[in-house]
């Protein structure tokens, strides 16, 4: 099975070795046909990257690292403000 790769923005860096990545996607409501922005917050292992809030990162699914962490950061694509 292929590993899931997602791109999102770092929302929090308050934990050691862990960041919270905010993943946003736009879906269309099935009945009203209006587009809605859905945001999911995922905890990811920093994997040695020096990250700060606002950075755009690419994360990849892994085997469970802890109770909540099942993703790790594989690349930093953009600097935050």
């Amino acid at each position: 099975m292929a590993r899931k790769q997602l791109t999102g923005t770092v929302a929090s860096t308050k934990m050691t070795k862990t960041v919270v990545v905010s993943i946003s996607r736009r879906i269309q409501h099935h009945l009203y046909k209006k587009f809605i922005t859905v945001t999911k917050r995922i905890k990811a292992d920093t994997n040695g990257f020096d990250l700060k809030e606002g950075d755009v990162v690419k994360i990849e699914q892994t085997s469970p690292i802890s109770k909540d962490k099942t993703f790790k950061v594989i690349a930093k694509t953009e600097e935050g403000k």
Side-chain angles (χ1 to χ4, degrees), residues 25-38:
R25 60 191 181 95
R26 290 176 51 82
I27 62 166
Q28 188 177 27
H29 193 278
H30 68 283
L31 179 62
Y32 301 118
K33 309 301 182 202
K34 183 176 180 177
F35 283 96
I36 305 166
T37 302
V38 178

Side-chain angles (χ1 to χ4, degrees), residues 27-68:
I27 62 166
Q28 188 177 27
H29 193 278
H30 68 283
L31 179 62
Y32 301 118
K33 309 301 182 202
K34 183 176 180 177
F35 283 96
I36 305 166
T37 302
V38 178
T39 304
K40 186 159 185 144
R41 291 167 58 95
I42 297 173
K43 291 181 184 168
D45 190 57
T46 57
N47 211 15
F49 286 96
D50 185 30
L51 302 170
K52 58 184 180 221
E53 291 183 19
D55 289 347
V56 178
V57 294
K58 187 176 235 185
I59 59 175
E60 181 178 62
Q61 192 173 24
T62 64
S63 59
I65 299 167
S66 69
K67 178 183 172 184
D68 296 330

Side-chain angles (χ1 to χ4, degrees), residues 5-24:
Q5 289 188 351
L6 303 169
T7 303
T9 307
V10 175
S12 173
T13 59
K14 294 178 181 175
M15 296 172 272
T16 57
K17 298 182 185 175
T18 304
V19 292
V20 178
V21 179
S22 182
I23 309 289
S24 295

